[in-house]
Amino acid sequence: IKVMCVVGARPNFMKIAPVIAALREVGLGVQLVHTGQHYDVAMQQQFFEQLGIPQPDMDLEVGSASHAVQTAEIMRRFEPVLDSEQPHTVLVVGDVNSTVACALVAVKKNIPVVHVEAGLRSYDRSMPEEINRVLTDQISELLFTTEAAAADNLRREGIDSSRIHFVGNVMIDTLYKNLEKAIPAKQTLSAALDSHVLLDNGFAVLTLHRPSNVDEPGILTDLLNTILKLSEHLPIVFPVHPRTAARIDKIGMKGLFDSGRILRLSPLGYLEMLGLMLSAKVVLTDSGGMQEETTALNIPCLTLRENTERPITVLQGTNTIVGTDPERIEQAFDKALSEYQGETKIPDLWDGRAAQRIGQIMKQWLA
Ligand code: UD1
């Protein structure tokens, strides 16, 4: 029996690693297709190496383009792969363009689709990932969820309960598995001029890449000015996503890094990022995955968005939604640094065994 797993972009890699291992563990055959949506070494190859993901059996090498062209190109190139390999099922993870593109090709060939991390909803349809989530879930046969709210969302969209399985969070499987291998912040920051200042007095970590935050020059400028202000209180380490790097250069805000209080880094590997988060006093981000990772690590997280598709991180975890309003961000930042954080809890089934549950369920389902 052959399960074809699909990855394309950075947040997919930490999700697929434990799933592939678990499927093999239960005796299922696995093939891995990389769409090539992300292609920089820093955005993909180092994740394969650090997480021990097998080399992809096929690389579709689609690269960057508009959403329509990228999605269409993935579909065009994925179809012949399905024709020649004839897998029993196609397994997709997360919410990137590669996820929906490959799911759509498979379902039209009557190959059942399995979606890992199903049912998350921001209820913000201006977010490209929200469209990808809704559509992928509608055409999936088996839906694996990470938190209780996801099943409610799916049922509201007419998906039968029998197809939904609450298994926990595969990204957190990867987190626990790699905690001891995390590369210490000291090492990652050693090239920085004032690394001792960062390490002695603490630092915040910032990531930013959502189109809604970085594509509009006005919004990006305001956000970066707020960040500059925060950095007067606590230095900020900022590994910059390629999309964001291009936008910062375009709006002429390279001066952002002149104060020496904001440290610009290239996108980091998984183990470097994990080490950095472990030493951070607070994380500011618009990423989905880091909201969950900080909750599992019990580190305060300020989410620079107006909503989240991962409400459990706010209800039980360390996450606070702060949007892009300077005052709100500054207040939450002070609070995260000064006050008792309150009771937080590791969400149910975020126990490092989500992929094993997926393996068991899929074995029975495919038997
Ligand atoms: C994609 C996902 C997003 C995820 C993010 C993580 C979609 C719709 N979005 O967004 O959910 O959180 O990945 O990074 O699928 N680029 C490079 N090198 C690369 C990849 C991208 O330079 O290896 C640059 C290109 O200029 C490209 C831009 O980044 O145009 C955006 O890449 P794209 O794959 O379209 O989306 P992301 O913003 O990375």
Side-chain angles (χ1 to χ4, degrees):
I1 291 187
K2 207 154 69 177
V3 180
M4 183 168 282
C5 296
V6 174
V7 290
R10 185 171 60 179
N12 294 159
F13 305 128
M14 41 292 227
K15 293 170 193 166
I16 210 68
V19 171
I20 291 178
L23 296 178
R24 291 199 166 143
E25 185 77 28
V26 297
L28 296 169
V30 176
Q31 279 184 319
L32 181 61
V33 173
H34 185 355
T35 65
Q37 178 177 340
H38 283 175
Y39 43 89
D40 286 356
V41 171
M43 296 298 284
Q44 49 102 23
Q45 194 182 319
Q46 59 174 341
F47 292 85
F48 278 79
E49 288 162 9
Q50 293 187 342
L51 300 175
I53 303 169
Q55 277 308 302
D57 298 281
M58 300 99 190
D59 190 336
L60 308 182
E61 295 179 0
V62 292
S64 302
S66 71
H67 282 261
V69 170
Q70 186 179 62
T71 307
E73 200 55 37
I74 295 168
M75 291 180 67
R76 210 175 62 77
R77 298 186 192 192
F78 188 52
E79 182 169 46
V81 174
L82 286 185
D83 287 339
S84 66
E85 299 301 324
Q86 306 268 335
H88 293 84
T89 178
V90 168
L91 181 147
V92 296
V93 297
D95 55 15
V96 302
N97 286 343
S98 300
T99 308
V100 69
C102 293
L104 188 50
V105 176
V107 75
K108 292 227 177 184
K109 291 188 169 291
N110 291 321
I111 299 173
V113 174
V114 176
H115 187 202
V116 175
E117 201 190 77
L120 297 180
R121 296 290 180 271
S122 64
Y123 291 97
D124 172 5
R125 294 229 171 161
S126 69
M127 188 181 185
E129 293 81 6
E130 182 75 354
I131 307 295
N132 296 343
R133 294 181 196 117
V134 170
L135 297 180
T136 303
D137 287 338
Q138 277 299 322
I139 55 178
S140 293
E141 187 65 30
L142 204 53
L143 300 99
F144 292 116
T145 62
T146 52
E147 59 172 284
D152 299 335
N153 295 334
L154 292 171
R155 281 191 287 263
R156 221 173 290 131
E157 291 169 17
I159 293 168
D160 197 82
S161 296
S162 62
R163 306 217 313 262
I164 307 168
H165 298 268
F166 176 36
V167 292
N169 195 326
V170 292
M171 168 140 42
I172 303 304
D173 291 5
T174 296
L175 182 87
Y176 290 151
K177 186 164 179 231
N178 288 284
L179 268 184
E180 281 171 10
K181 293 186 217 151
I183 294 172
K186 196 175 163 182
Q187 203 170 316
T188 305
L189 299 176
S190 61
L193 274 179
D194 297 323
S195 65
H196 62 281
V197 177
L198 294 171
L199 294 162
D200 294 347
N201 302 320
F203 56 87
V205 170
L206 167 71
T207 79
L208 215 52
H209 76 281
R210 295 256 153 253
S212 59
N213 280 337
V214 306
D215 283 1
E216 181 62 49
I219 295 176
L220 181 59
T221 305
D222 289 352
L223 247 178
L224 293 178
N225 280 325
T226 305
I227 298 295
L228 198 54
K229 236 171 125 186
L230 299 183
S231 74
E232 290 166 14
H233 304 279
L234 187 69
I236 295 177
V237 179
F238 184 14
V240 189
H241 184 287
R243 170 195 281 276
T244 310
R247 301 296 190 270
I248 291 176
D249 293 350
K250 202 165 149 199
I251 61 171
M253 269 192 76
K254 281 187 188 153
L256 183 70
F257 305 100
D258 290 348
S259 70
R261 303 283 298 175
I262 304 179
L263 176 64
R264 178 182 194 152
L265 298 177
S266 302
L268 295 173
Y270 182 81
L271 298 175
E272 285 85 354
M273 196 64 193
L274 186 52
L276 214 51
M277 282 195 286
L278 281 166
S279 295
K281 289 197 166 167
V282 54
V283 169
L284 298 107
T285 190
D286 60 7
S287 142
M290 285 172 67
Q291 295 174 49
E292 299 186 328
E293 289 165 341
T294 46
T295 273
L297 295 170
N298 199 24
I299 291 159
C301 177
L302 308 186
T303 294
L304 302 164
R305 288 172 43 191
E306 298 299 338
N307 50 52
T308 181
E309 59 287 333
R310 296 162 160 90
I312 198 102
T313 59
V314 176
L315 290 169
Q316 297 186 1
T318 58
N319 192 14
T320 309
I321 304 296
V322 295
T324 55
D325 175 58
E327 223 165 281
R328 212 169 140 201
I329 297 173
E330 283 164 43
Q331 278 172 9
F333 189 76
D334 287 344
K335 195 171 163 207
L337 292 182
S338 58
E339 269 178 36
Y340 169 63
Q341 294 303 313
E343 282 288 304
T344 64
K345 176 175 177 280
I346 306 284
D348 281 349
L349 301 190
W350 290 21
D351 58 359
R353 296 203 301 268
Q356 284 173 29
R357 294 185 189 98
I358 290 173
Q360 289 301 336
I361 294 166
M362 285 191 64
K363 185 184 169 188
Q364 280 178 19
W365 177 64
L366 290 165

